[in-house]
Amino acid sequence: MLSILNLDISNKILLIRSDLNVPLDIKGNITSDIRIRLSLPTIKYALEKKAKIIIASHLGRPTEGIYNPLFSLKKIAIYLEKILKHKVILKKKYLNGCNFEKNEIFLLENVRFNIGEKSNSKKLSKQYASLCDIFVMDAFATSHRMHSSTYGIINFAKQSCAGLLLINEIKNLNKFLKNPEKPIISIVGGSKISTKFNVLKKLSKLSHKVIVGGGIANTLLSLNNDIGHSLYEPNSILLAQEIIKKCKNIILPIDCIVSTSVTNNSLIKNKNVNNILKNEKILDIGYKTINIIKCELQKAKTILWNGPIGVFELKNFRKGTEIIIKAIIHSNAFSIVGGGDTLAAVELFNAFNQISYISTGGGAFLKYIEENKLPVISILENIS
């Protein structure tokens, strides 16, 4: 892909498509700034080169055509201004152009407020393209989506290129896919086996062992065990059967932390998976399983992790996640971690700087592993 580093951007108007889709609390305050921090190198490089900067991003899933303050980028603009130590103006009306008066940065209001964004409207794509001299795609986490601000604009911009984050994402994912040190251990958690069925099959072929947790593990366990009231997908039993049949290197929990409630004050028990009562829920992996996983991770040369293993947000059900993170950072393996909930777990245990590579992508992360291509990456690779 053509890089921003390969272009003369001085005094040019750049439209940088970043991924500033960060989690907010009920008061609209940022609870995790990882995606913002990882977006900064491209913005700072553009500042150093005296470019005129417009930043675009989405936030959440608002209804197109309706302004909703809950999904406004106002708090993001304030945060960017503070961290960059540079004037950042939130621009609400921008489709007819942005007039630079001083050395300010414009942050466009949530692109998903615009009608046609998600349907890749040609009209909207042209409007985005008209704002800039150079379009810089730097939002890896949205590069699997053919939206106007990520894909459509590339067809009409005078010049398009990849930002530093996007290039770094592809470089590190290719390191895992094309030239990994072996043995490889993959860890896949999350609630739904249906959304990770294809990537589980791909990782099973690539990896020495695939460790599963969360609702995915529960669905697989339900084939031969009573899992009580645990989260699982009853409609994905056929998929689960196929995974068990075809993926012989999957490690399932042999014991679990269970409870009849999901609170910080819940009474918990460590039980073998064949001994769970009707009113109990699996909420974390058990101590025997933790020891098995630790041993596997100690042998690994490459580790990939996507998706939480238990209900790590609550202290009673985070031991499995904590031990996995500690095992990863104390290993000698190249480690790559991706997915919003997984990043939250990494941040919870202050491991951000101890993972080899943190990916901003969730769906894009999995899609690239599964197919080794993404729509936005493909179109950027064809630009000279």
Side-chain angles (χ1 to χ4, degrees):
M1 292 182 292
L2 185 66
S3 165
I4 188 174
L5 299 175
N6 302 132
L7 297 174
D8 177 9
I9 62 172
S10 299
N11 296 313
K12 301 286 178 60
I13 300 175
L14 306 188
L15 174 53
I16 303 173
R17 178 53 162 99
S18 299
D19 178 20
L20 308 178
N21 183 32
V22 295
L24 306 174
D25 63 20
I26 56 173
K27 294 182 180 179
N29 298 312
I30 298 166
T31 58
S32 172
D33 68 347
I34 286 181
R35 281 182 167 167
I36 296 177
R37 280 187 278 153
L38 293 174
S39 298
L40 292 179
T42 298
I43 299 168
K44 287 181 175 180
Y45 176 76
L47 279 172
E48 289 170 10
K49 294 297 180 179
K50 310 296 183 186
K52 296 176 181 178
I53 302 169
I54 302 170
I55 303 170
S57 179
H58 74 283
L59 180 67
R61 297 181 178 180
T63 302
E64 283 190 4
I66 301 175
Y67 172 79
N68 185 336
L70 294 176
F71 297 102
S72 173
L73 294 177
K74 182 179 180 180
K75 290 287 179 71
I76 314 299
I78 294 169
Y79 190 87
L80 275 175
E81 182 168 289
K82 180 180 178 181
I83 202 167
L84 289 170
K85 297 178 181 176
H86 196 98
K87 184 68 176 176
V88 176
I89 297 173
L90 180 67
K91 194 82 171 172
K92 290 187 177 181
K93 295 181 179 180
Y94 51 80
L95 292 178
N96 292 321
C98 296
N99 296 317
F100 289 88
E101 295 181 3
K102 296 182 180 178
N103 193 28
E104 70 271 8
I105 293 172
F106 287 125
L107 175 62
L108 306 184
E109 183 57 285
N110 195 337
V111 293
R112 289 191 178 172
F113 288 157
N114 297 323
I115 294 174
E117 166 64 17
K118 292 198 286 185
S119 61
N120 193 26
S121 156
K122 186 180 288 189
K123 178 184 176 182
L124 183 59
S125 298
K126 287 180 177 179
Q127 287 176 306
Y128 288 143
S130 69
L131 298 177
C132 62
D133 300 312
I134 302 171
F135 172 64
V136 184
M137 178 58 183
D138 207 34
F140 171 74
T142 64
S143 56
H144 60 311
R145 296 195 174 108
M146 295 173 67
H147 290 180
S148 284
S149 69
T150 61
Y151 183 90
I153 182 176
I154 299 172
N155 293 301
F156 304 104
K158 299 170 193 172
Q159 178 72 68
S160 296
C161 67
L164 303 179
L165 170 61
L166 184 63
I167 288 169
N168 210 21
E169 291 269 13
I170 298 304
K171 175 185 172 183
N172 281 280
L173 281 170
N174 282 345
K175 184 175 179 179
F176 171 80
L177 289 168
K178 297 178 180 180
N179 191 31
E181 274 197 82
K182 298 178 180 179
I184 303 166
I185 303 295
S186 295
I187 306 164
V188 182
S191 60
K192 294 183 177 181
I193 197 170
S194 56
T195 60
K196 297 185 179 180
F197 175 72
N198 290 327
V199 82
L200 277 169
K201 289 198 298 181
K202 178 71 176 283
L203 287 174
S204 179
K205 292 177 182 177
L206 292 171
S207 310
H208 176 64
K209 294 288 174 72
V210 179
I211 297 161
V212 294
I216 291 173
N218 294 347
T219 303
L220 294 172
L221 287 171
S222 73
L223 298 177
N224 297 304
N225 302 277
D226 188 338
I227 59 167
H229 278 248
S230 306
L231 174 70
Y232 84 118
E233 282 188 285
N235 294 331
S236 296
I237 293 301
L238 291 178
L239 296 181
Q241 289 172 338
E242 186 174 343
I243 289 291
I244 292 296
K245 182 180 178 180
K246 293 185 176 180
C247 307
K248 301 298 184 182
N249 55 348
I250 281 186
I251 296 178
L252 279 170
I254 60 172
D255 64 336
C256 303
I257 299 299
V258 302
S259 181
T260 56
S261 62
V262 191
T263 71
N264 274 322
N265 299 314
S266 297
L267 179 66
I268 64 172
K269 295 178 182 178
N270 193 109
K271 286 191 160 189
N272 290 340
V273 295
N274 61 357
N275 195 30
I276 296 167
L277 301 179
K278 297 283 186 185
N279 63 336
E280 292 175 331
K281 299 178 181 180
I282 300 171
L283 298 165
D284 196 5
I285 54 175
Y287 306 132
K288 296 176 189 175
T289 305
I290 285 173
N291 287 331
I292 291 170
I293 291 173
K294 280 174 65 178
C295 289
E296 293 292 345
L297 293 177
Q298 285 168 0
K299 295 181 283 187
K301 292 296 182 182
T302 302
I303 300 170
L304 178 138
W305 180 23
N306 173 270
I309 294 301
V311 187
F312 70 91
E313 297 90 347
L314 301 178
K315 62 183 180 181
N316 277 348
F317 313 116
R318 65 174 57 146
K319 195 67 178 177
T321 299
E322 180 182 8
I323 296 299
I324 284 174
I325 289 175
K326 287 181 176 179
I328 291 173
I329 64 179
H330 290 129
S331 74
N332 294 317
F334 169 74
S335 53
I336 184 165
V337 173
D341 289 335
T342 322
L343 299 192
V346 168
E347 200 165 32
L348 178 66
F349 295 105
N350 298 312
F352 182 79
N353 294 317
Q354 299 175 79
I355 304 293
S356 304
Y357 189 72
I358 300 281
S359 174
T360 57
F365 177 85
L366 296 174
K367 199 73 175 174
Y368 194 78
I369 290 169
E370 181 188 331
E371 299 182 0
N372 203 14
K373 63 181 180 179
L374 296 170
V376 172
I377 306 302
S378 297
I379 193 172
L380 284 172
E381 286 175 342
N382 291 322
I383 289 172
S384 59

